[in-house]
Amino acid sequence: MIYIQLFYEFFKTGLFAIGGGLATLPFLYNLSDKTGWFTHTDLTNMIAVSESTPGPLGVNTATYVGFTVGGLPGAIVATLGLVAPSIIVILIIASFLKAFRDSRIVDSAFYGLRPASTGLIAAAGIPVIVTSILSVDSLYTLLTGGMTVSMIKWPAIVLAVVIFVLTNFVKPTKKLHPILFIAFAAVVGVVFRLGGV
Amino acid sequence: MLKKLWQLFLTFAKVGVMTFGGGYAMLPILQREVVENRGWASEEDLTDYFAIGQCTPGIIAVNTATFVGQKQAGVIGGIVATLGIVFPSLVIITALASVIEMIDHLAVVQNAFAGINVCVGILILNSVVKLFKKAVVGKATLVIFLLVTLGALAANTLPNVNVSPVVFVLLAAVAGIVLKNLEGKKA
């Protein structure tokens, strides 16, 4: 039965995630809260692996979550669930391509959808950043328990700033593949024992 | 026909293997495989498919594959091309996930992932900044962005608030239609 639920959840993700791979994240965090199949930290690790392996990010993450929940059949079911809405929607649109492109209602819906999709991704990203630079397991613990200076992981903050600068402002490194920054971050994580173990 | 379907599967499996991350990173690879090597679409067609893939539900890479497949061999072509693009992910991720499952209790792996998580956070932030520049074009869109960010953050964080992202997506679509109409009337 878990397979039916997996298919349904990923079908929903494929249908409502607009704007590519990262847009699936809010749905996956929501799925984690709802089912407890995996933790937020598990998910962040899965995103990291998905970013570093071939294949579209959204597909990789769906496959990974599916595999975690239900082994190989789970991986297949989740991936098929994710792409099923694309197949249906695109096959419909392909038959009246021009009408869709010129439609005013589609255009105005996207006027609202674009900032919303951006906001959803931002809301998924904020806890990832906070839990990676502070020793807390969730944003909720931070809100209820308060923050102390001892929670701050200084090497992680330096790493975050360095990656932010290298990926945005330094010309020769801006265009480098994300996998290189992920590898660099892994090395820093090991050297400074960022996991605390 | 069978040969065409096989070609569709193979070509998109190849695109899947060569794509890291997806989205815009994929466009040059599609150009080479679909336009130059196969001649299945012109540059302009591909740009069109890609643009539509971005503003329809689902993963852009998958949408574009479905589109090209459909144009080449109808509904079955769309399905086969889509299966082609997800095939490498299925193989690679399941293999890798099994290995990671075996080693993820090791301290060195946990520390590495802690470092990687810092990087993932910044990569997400970078995407948000990039999307923000295109999506937030005035006061109304800024308000939508802020409301959704705060609302979704509350839904993610607070244990007693559980709102599906679907709700935000549907409300934003309605808001977009209403706001555009109001602006249209004013003008």
Side-chain angles (χ1 to χ4, degrees), chain A:
Chain A
M1 281 323 91
I2 205 170
Y3 299 119
I4 295 171
Q5 201 186 345
L6 258 182
F7 187 87
Y8 168 75
E9 289 295 341
F10 277 94
F11 189 91
K12 211 166 67 180
T13 304
L15 188 58
F16 288 99
I18 291 167
L22 282 175
T24 63
L25 296 191
F27 294 86
L28 302 178
Y29 282 105
N30 187 248
L31 185 62
S32 153
D33 290 338
K34 229 170 44 181
T35 61
W37 284 340
F38 48 90
T39 64
H40 284 199
T41 316
D42 291 340
L43 186 57
T44 310
N45 293 347
M46 292 189 234
I47 297 163
V49 174
S50 302
E51 289 249 27
S52 329
T53 43
L57 176 64
V59 177
N60 288 353
T61 320
T63 308
Y64 206 150
V65 170
F67 183 80
T68 308
V69 175
L72 184 59
I76 295 172
V77 167
T79 309
L80 292 182
L82 182 79
V83 302
S86 293
I87 295 180
I88 298 166
V89 171
I90 293 291
L91 290 181
I92 294 170
I93 287 175
S95 26
F96 44 96
L97 179 60
K98 211 173 148 14
F100 180 82
R101 286 223 75 175
D102 300 340
S103 161
R104 266 202 47 211
I105 193 142
V106 170
D107 185 57
S108 38
F110 272 93
Y111 178 73
L113 281 171
R114 270 185 224 106
S117 176
T118 311
L120 283 173
I121 299 172
I126 290 167
V128 174
I129 295 180
V130 171
T131 54
S132 73
I133 57 175
L134 298 177
S135 312
V136 284
D137 57 352
S138 75
L139 218 53
Y140 183 65
T141 344
L142 189 69
L143 283 177
T144 49
M147 198 190 126
T148 56
V149 181
S150 62
M151 281 181 183
I152 303 173
K153 294 195 210 170
W154 293 107
I157 292 184
V158 174
L159 176 64
V161 172
V162 167
I163 294 177
F164 184 73
V165 170
L166 289 180
T167 48
N168 284 289
F169 305 110
V170 182
K171 247 203 173 141
T173 55
K174 238 162 83 168
K175 295 269 168 224
L176 286 181
H177 199 279
I179 196 173
L180 295 170
F181 295 106
I182 289 175
F184 170 65
V187 173
V188 173
V190 171
V191 171
F192 290 93
R193 299 185 169 213
L194 284 181
V197 278

Side-chain angles (χ1 to χ4, degrees), chain B residues 1 63 70-71 124 126 137 147 160 164:
Chain B
M1 182 67 182
N63 292 350
Q70 193 269 347
K71 290 282 168 208
I124 297 177
N126 287 345
V137 289
L147 285 179
N160 46 351
S164 165

Side-chain angles (χ1 to χ4, degrees), chain B residues 21-96:
Chain B
Y24 286 107
M26 208 184 59
L27 198 52
I29 298 159
L30 276 172
Q31 267 158 353
R32 195 172 59 214
E33 291 304 316
V34 174
V35 178
E36 288 165 32
N37 288 357
R38 295 289 183 185
W40 284 340
S42 67
E43 288 279 343
E44 292 75 28
D45 291 341
L46 190 64
T47 317
D48 269 4
Y49 300 160
F50 208 72
I52 293 163
Q54 276 180 304
C55 63
T56 42
I59 310 296
I60 301 169
V62 173
N63 292 350
T64 313
T66 314
F67 234 121
V68 176
Q70 193 269 347
K71 290 282 168 208
Q72 288 305 309
V75 174
I76 186 84
I79 294 173
V80 168
T82 307
L83 292 178
I85 203 153
V86 301
F87 182 71
S89 298
L90 272 172
V91 176
I92 297 168
I93 292 287
T94 45
L96 211 59

